[in-house]
Amino acid sequence: VVVVLLDGDRYTKNNLERQNISRLDESKNKAEAQAVYLKSLFNTLTIVPIPEFVTEKNVAEIITDKSVIFLAVDNHATRKIVSERCQRLQDVVLISGGNEISDGNIQVYIKKNGRSRNPPIEKFHPEIAQPRDKNPAELSCEELTRLSGSEQIIFTNLTAACLMLNAFYTIVAEKPLRYAEVYFDIERNKALPRQR
């Protein structure tokens, strides 16, 4: 098993409130810094950092058949690029999670032996099918800095992460996944699965 961490962004001080990293090394980007941290915890895992954003140019090199993708990005343009790549593969699992301050959703797309088990993540989400935002690789440093100030809280991030891992466990345990999407709201303590 090879774990690939992909992120073209750098850590900022506000990342430390929501992400567990023992020491901020501003010379490394997020993928590199997390790889160092995770290797210290799990020294038997092969962890490969790629300090880039996903783009239309590099997506085919990064996402290949038999990949399991945990997609945790802040923009719909990247979600669309990843989803379209997954649809071209024969066997792939895509688990996408996103959230605002107190709510969010996770989406699961599975393709096995060339057959989609559920709809792609943009099927019921026009904001992904026709994104109005840009891929981070297309943004200037000034635009990226403005985007990094979006407010999030750790409780909501952790809820999205747990729901993504729940889906992963169900898939790996070869149990039937009875949903393709889960909406959640931490203020209402609700999680609503949808089959689609």
Side-chain angles (χ1 to χ4, degrees):
V1 174
V2 176
V3 176
V4 177
L5 301 176
L6 186 82
D7 199 326
D9 209 355
R10 294 203 166 275
Y11 269 109
T12 59
K13 300 287 185 204
N14 67 346
N15 293 131
L16 294 177
E17 296 170 2
R18 296 179 285 118
Q19 297 180 18
N20 185 11
I21 188 161
S22 57
R23 191 178 52 127
L24 178 64
D25 184 347
E26 294 187 29
S27 69
K28 293 181 176 11
N29 83 337
K30 287 181 180 178
E32 294 166 326
Q34 278 294 352
V36 168
Y37 175 68
L38 291 172
K39 282 179 186 180
S40 73
L41 297 175
F42 308 102
N43 60 4
T44 60
L45 278 180
T46 301
I47 301 172
V48 178
I50 300 177
E52 301 173 17
F53 293 112
V54 176
T55 65
E56 289 181 6
K57 291 179 183 175
N58 68 11
V59 71
E61 297 168 24
I62 295 163
I63 300 174
T64 58
D65 254 333
K66 310 265 189 237
S67 291
V68 175
I69 301 107
F70 289 90
L71 185 63
V73 296
D74 293 333
N75 69 87
H76 299 308
T78 301
R79 285 186 179 95
K80 183 177 181 183
I81 290 168
V82 171
S83 179
E84 288 176 345
R85 172 63 182 159
C86 290
Q87 292 169 63
R88 290 190 293 273
L89 297 172
Q90 291 296 303
D91 291 280
V92 70
V93 173
L94 169 60
I95 304 171
S96 177
N99 58 273
E100 300 295 332
I101 295 174
S102 64
D103 64 343
N105 71 326
I106 67 123
Q107 298 167 284
V108 182
Y109 174 72
I110 301 170
K111 193 169 184 186
K112 192 93 169 151
N113 298 322
R115 187 172 158 258
S116 295
R117 300 285 168 97
N118 45 13
I121 65 172
E122 68 271 17
K123 173 79 174 175
F124 299 100
H125 290 274
E127 71 278 9
I128 299 173
Q130 270 93 47
R132 291 187 179 162
D133 56 10
K134 290 182 182 178
N135 180 286
E138 300 170 357
L139 300 175
S140 69
C141 290
E142 184 179 285
E143 290 171 311
L144 281 170
T145 302
R146 269 188 264 130
L147 286 178
S148 68
S150 63
E151 189 177 343
Q152 291 186 351
I153 58 175
I154 192 167
F155 307 113
T156 315
N157 292 154
L158 289 173
T159 301
C162 286
L163 290 170
M164 292 171 78
L165 289 171
N166 291 349
F168 177 68
Y169 165 77
T170 303
I171 294 163
V172 169
E174 297 182 358
K175 298 179 183 228
L177 187 69
R178 294 181 168 88
Y179 57 87
E181 188 163 8
V182 178
Y183 291 93
F184 68 90
D185 186 323
I186 67 166
E187 290 178 359
R188 295 183 178 151
N189 199 28
K190 285 189 175 183
L192 177 64
R194 296 236 170 127
Q195 177 53 43
R196 298 285 191 194

